[in-house]
Amino acid sequence: MKVFSILLVAFSSFTLSFNSCFSQELLNEKLDLMPWPKEITSNGSITKLDENFTISINNKGSRVYNAATKFLRNLANKTGVFINEGFPFYNRENATLSLVFKEVADLSINTDESYELVVKNNKIELTAKTDVGIVRGLSTLLQLIKSDGSNYNFEGFYVKDAPRFKWRGLMIDVSRHFQPVDLIKRNLDAMAYVKMNVFHWHLSDDQGFRIESKRYPKLHQQGSDGVYYTHEQIKDVVAYANNLGIRVIPEIDVPGHAAAILAAYPELGSNDNYDYKIVRDSGVFDPTLNPTKPEVYTFLDNLFKEVTPLFPDEYFHIGGDENEGKHWDSNVEIQKFKKKYRLDTNHDLQTYFNIKLEKILRKYGKKLVGWDEIRTPSMPKSAIIHSWRGKNEGFENGTLIPALKNGYHAILSNDYYIDRMLSVEHYYNCDPIANANLTKEEEDRVLGGEVTMWSELVTPLTIDSRIWPRTAAIAERFWSSKHITNVENMRKRLDKVNHELERIGLTHIRNIDVILRNISDNQEILSLKILSRISEPLKVYQRNKGGIEYKTFSPFTLFADACSADAPDAYAFKKVVSAYKLNSNSSNAENVSLFLNKWEKGYLNFKELHHSPNLVGLNFHYKNLAEISVHLNKAIKSGKYSEKDKERIDSLLNEIATPFVDVEIVIIDSLKTLSNHLNQKFGLRENVHK
């Protein structure tokens, strides 16, 4: 009897789990939520959106009031409904949407962001412990609005949600290319839309120091090319982020990556004979602060005393990466210092520097964050290790796990370098923990991850398209359950979210046309858009080999800048080719032909353009693609495809497989698959007839 009871309980548990998973899969297909919530169930209710929609808030607090007001604006703009009440009320009875929270959060790494949302018949309730939880829930609710053809409605769902990781960040490098305040704000809005909560502001590097300093004014006068953030602008951005429930972590990168600082104050450098200047190229450079000079620490102490009050968060990022120590090696006095203090390596010397810096920051109430080079046995365990090095940097297993096992809290960025221009699928499949062999304590030390947008190859015109929409998928990896991994479903939902991100202010879609109009001298751009939708920029820094092909003032208004890391037609074409290969019926054949016709006609239209210098480099590949399309289309329609036809196609495919104008055509494999299938299907038939 006991055995039967145990089996019955186990079977019931399995059935509930199976039904829950099945239910989630059905909802995944129906809804376009991102990130996917922890729990969601349908209840069959519905709340219609009309002009009488109202919001009631139970507690006062600017964060929820601002979020609710912005929610109303987004709702009206998205649906076109003229809502009579454009602002929320306090403690209003019979409001359509009731927002109830217990406390106003003082943002920190441990802020409670959980919420519960229930859509009933003509009534919606959103509850949370903190006002930040309300902000997160409003983001989910905005994604639930749907049209039935006649009206917009909130379908009935119960959602219970909370993040998987505490630290879900986006780093924007504003040193290589300065990014204005309005751009930062629109990206903060996008972050909030997908529930990210840390903005890492990379404010100094070799190419520019971007903070106004009243204590050391030459920093922004001589180290920024005149583009920097005033104290008031920084306070404005921090306040804006705070209202969205986003913490702002500043980074001043030292002791390396210090050329801009030393251009202003060369006496702090390690090479007295070096001509310090703002760097215009990309890469790793020699200028380094001198860790043996007391005046360096006086400078940093005074600078941090001035800067830290601008950033309320308890964490401050000191960089600490990529210091090769060449100027240290060539400095006789530094070598004597190392010998005197028994510092055997430059790493030991940098640890000496980092420990002094940690004490300075602690004096101002800050905890230190640094790139993974800062991890040494002497570094206090209060420091957060920012893991960035992996296989590309010679660390086969990365640097996150060793940091965890040595007792440090850590965040992962190695797998989320979106400036490497890898596919959304690549980033989505990277999990901060994955299947690492960690104890519960070690796993708890994984705070989360950060998307890193290094700006060597982006400007305000293009940066949105390099960050989004891929970052929305990564945000899901940071927020949602580890088991939400269906790439096909993610792509379906991301396609919807992509356009929602444009609606709330991002420029990643519309600026493609701006660039294409520029390179075509304002001619018709349809043919260029067709080619851009199957082309992707070169990946993993192939575009700027050695860091010297492009300078900070080079043009980033080229064809490559109009192409995304996930060419939309490439993915769609791959799907229709796969379907045609499985079943070569007329419907699937027509779907393939639609693409082939598009590329053939696209080139015909391209030929009609007045060819400006920026278009010349596109002709060869586009012409060969058109010829391939003609041959394959003819084979599909005629049912004939000889070995000679295949040889010609193979030759043309080899031609267009080579990179051009810093991009590559990414439908080569699909075209090969189609060619091989046609050869197998029709070529054999032709041989039989012979």
Side-chain angles (χ1 to χ4, degrees), residues 631-649:
H631 279 289
L632 294 177
N633 222 350
K634 183 179 178 181
I636 290 172
K637 293 176 179 179
S638 68
K640 297 178 180 179
Y641 194 66
S642 67
E643 194 63 37
K644 185 177 179 180
D645 292 330
K646 185 177 183 302
E647 288 175 2
R648 177 57 181 163
I649 295 298

Side-chain angles (χ1 to χ4, degrees), residues 81 566 670:
V81 174
D566 290 283
S670 296

Side-chain angles (χ1 to χ4, degrees), residues 357-590:
L357 210 59
E358 190 273 337
K359 291 177 181 177
I360 293 171
L361 286 170
R362 196 190 324 150
K363 183 169 66 172
Y364 298 116
K366 302 297 182 184
K367 295 178 182 178
L368 182 148
V369 186
W371 301 106
D372 56 48
E373 288 95 328
I374 72 167
R375 185 179 68 83
T376 64
S378 304
M379 180 56 64
K381 294 296 190 289
S382 60
I384 290 180
I385 306 302
H386 195 164
S387 172
W388 75 275
R389 290 179 295 175
K391 292 180 181 179
N392 288 330
E393 296 74 33
F395 291 79
E396 185 66 26
N397 298 313
T399 58
L400 181 77
I401 304 304
L404 301 174
K405 291 192 173 294
N406 278 275
Y408 291 95
H409 287 83
I411 51 181
L412 181 67
S413 277
N414 169 58
D415 292 321
Y416 308 117
Y417 268 49
I418 51 171
D419 62 313
R420 290 174 177 164
M421 301 305 290
L422 299 173
S423 72
V424 66
E425 183 173 342
H426 167 86
Y427 296 110
Y428 190 69
N429 285 332
C430 293
D431 188 273
I433 296 176
N435 298 313
N437 184 20
L438 300 174
T439 66
K440 179 65 169 59
E441 285 185 354
E442 290 166 349
E443 190 168 313
D444 288 343
R445 293 190 200 118
V446 182
L447 298 177
E450 259 188 26
V451 176
T452 46
M453 183 66 251
W454 299 105
S455 67
E456 286 93 339
L457 299 176
V458 297
T459 66
L461 181 69
T462 60
I463 191 169
D464 287 5
S465 70
R466 279 21 188 169
I467 299 175
W468 308 98
R470 291 174 298 158
T471 291
I474 302 173
E476 178 162 280
R477 181 56 53 238
F478 295 160
W479 177 280
S480 303
S481 165
K482 182 179 182 177
H483 305 293
I484 303 297
T485 57
N486 186 314
V487 172
E488 183 74 16
N489 181 263
M490 175 274 290
R491 282 185 176 271
K492 187 270 296 186
R493 291 180 288 120
L494 186 64
D495 183 62
K496 178 71 172 181
V497 169
N498 184 35
H499 292 91
E500 287 297 297
L501 290 169
E502 182 185 39
R503 188 186 54 75
I504 65 173
L506 291 181
T507 64
H508 62 302
I509 298 175
R510 72 190 73 162
N511 279 359
I512 292 172
D513 287 11
V514 174
I515 296 169
L516 294 179
R517 282 194 294 271
N518 177 67
I519 67 174
S520 68
D521 290 338
N522 295 312
Q523 300 178 79
E524 170 57 51
I525 61 171
L526 179 58
S527 63
L528 297 177
K529 290 189 75 169
I530 289 171
L531 184 61
S532 74
R533 290 177 64 85
I534 54 170
S535 302
E536 294 176 2
L538 298 179
K539 304 183 186 307
V540 195
Y541 312 129
Q542 292 181 73
R543 182 178 180 184
N544 191 25
K545 288 184 178 178
I548 58 173
E549 293 183 28
Y550 289 82
K551 298 185 181 299
T552 54
F553 47 79
S554 296
F556 293 91
T557 52
L558 308 175
F559 183 72
D561 300 299
C563 299
S564 73
D566 290 283
D569 281 358
Y571 180 70
F573 184 61
K574 181 179 180 180
K575 290 180 66 175
V576 299
V577 168
S578 296
Y580 179 68
K581 185 179 176 182
L582 286 173
N583 185 348
S584 301
N585 59 33
S586 59
S587 175
N588 288 337
E590 180 61 26

Side-chain angles (χ1 to χ4, degrees), residues 51 56 137 168 195 267 370 383 404 470 504 517 522 557-558 618 650 672 688:
E51 67 275 9
S56 175
R168 307 179 306 281
K195 301 182 176 62
E267 64 273 17
L404 301 174
R470 291 174 298 158
I504 65 173
R517 282 194 294 271
N522 295 312
T557 52
L558 308 175
L618 307 180
D650 289 344
K672 286 181 178 178
V688 169

Side-chain angles (χ1 to χ4, degrees), residues 8 22 45 86 102 104 157 159 168 177 238 270 291 299 310 316 328 386 398 418 439 453 465 481 506 611 678 682 687:
L8 182 61
F22 182 70
S45 301
K102 294 180 180 179
V104 174
F157 292 100
V159 178
R168 307 179 306 281
H177 282 100
V238 170
S270 300
F299 166 82
L310 300 174
F316 197 101
W328 291 357
H386 195 164
I418 51 171
T439 66
M453 183 66 251
S465 70
S481 165
L506 291 181
H611 277 203
L678 292 173
F682 300 135
N687 290 334

Side-chain angles (χ1 to χ4, degrees), residues 161-423:
D161 203 7
R164 180 183 174 204
F165 292 111
K166 298 177 179 180
W167 192 299
R168 307 179 306 281
L170 168 63
M171 186 218 75
I172 296 181
D173 165 19
V174 299
S175 177
R176 273 82 177 201
H177 282 100
F178 181 77
Q179 310 297 333
V181 168
D182 63 336
L183 183 148
I184 299 297
K185 286 184 176 180
R186 71 178 183 240
N187 275 276
L188 288 168
D189 286 334
M191 289 174 65
Y193 186 79
V194 292
K195 301 182 176 62
M196 300 181 84
N197 68 348
V198 176
F199 171 47
H200 172 177
W201 207 350
H202 185 84
L203 288 158
S204 78
D205 217 296
D206 294 301
Q207 294 80 1
F209 187 92
R210 304 301 183 189
I211 309 172
E212 174 194 24
S213 176
K214 297 175 182 179
R215 181 66 177 81
Y216 296 104
K218 286 194 289 186
L219 281 173
H220 66 269
Q221 291 169 354
Q222 299 180 23
S224 74
D225 289 321
V227 282
Y228 57 89
Y229 305 101
T230 66
H231 285 199
E232 292 308 309
Q233 286 176 315
I234 290 172
K235 291 176 184 177
D236 180 39
V237 169
V238 170
Y240 192 89
N242 185 283
N243 264 324
L244 297 170
I246 295 173
R247 300 160 50 218
V248 180
I249 311 295
E251 179 183 352
I252 295 178
D253 201 351
V254 287
H257 288 287
I261 293 175
L262 296 175
Y265 295 96
E267 64 273 17
L268 303 177
S270 300
N271 187 334
D272 294 337
N273 299 315
Y274 194 84
D275 183 16
Y276 292 106
K277 296 178 181 179
I278 295 175
V279 173
R280 308 300 178 187
D281 297 317
S282 305
V284 180
F285 303 95
D286 298 337
T288 314
L289 297 180
N290 188 333
T292 71
K293 290 182 176 180
E295 52 265 42
V296 167
Y297 301 104
T298 301
F299 166 82
L300 291 171
D301 195 325
N302 290 332
L303 181 62
F304 289 158
K305 182 179 181 181
E306 177 186 14
V307 169
T308 52
L310 300 174
F311 301 96
D313 200 83
E314 63 180 321
Y315 288 99
F316 197 101
H317 206 301
I318 65 156
D321 60 317
E322 295 184 319
N323 173 25
E324 296 180 349
K326 292 180 180 178
H327 281 187
W328 291 357
D329 292 337
S330 61
N331 186 310
V332 174
E333 295 303 315
I334 290 178
Q335 295 307 308
K336 289 180 181 178
F337 184 92
K338 287 172 64 178
K339 188 173 182 180
K340 177 180 178 180
Y341 290 96
R342 298 182 179 179
L343 303 171
D344 296 332
T345 67
N346 285 337
H347 199 193
D348 295 333
L349 180 58
Q350 184 162 335
T351 298
Y352 171 91
F353 172 86
N354 289 341
I355 290 173
K356 293 181 82 69
L357 210 59
E358 190 273 337
K359 291 177 181 177
I360 293 171
L361 286 170
R362 196 190 324 150
K363 183 169 66 172
Y364 298 116
K366 302 297 182 184
K367 295 178 182 178
L368 182 148
V369 186
W371 301 106
D372 56 48
E373 288 95 328
I374 72 167
R375 185 179 68 83
T376 64
S378 304
M379 180 56 64
K381 294 296 190 289
S382 60
I384 290 180
I385 306 302
H386 195 164
S387 172
W388 75 275
R389 290 179 295 175
K391 292 180 181 179
N392 288 330
E393 296 74 33
F395 291 79
E396 185 66 26
N397 298 313
T399 58
L400 181 77
I401 304 304
L404 301 174
K405 291 192 173 294
N406 278 275
Y408 291 95
H409 287 83
I411 51 181
L412 181 67
S413 277
N414 169 58
D415 292 321
Y416 308 117
Y417 268 49
I418 51 171
D419 62 313
R420 290 174 177 164
M421 301 305 290
L422 299 173
S423 72

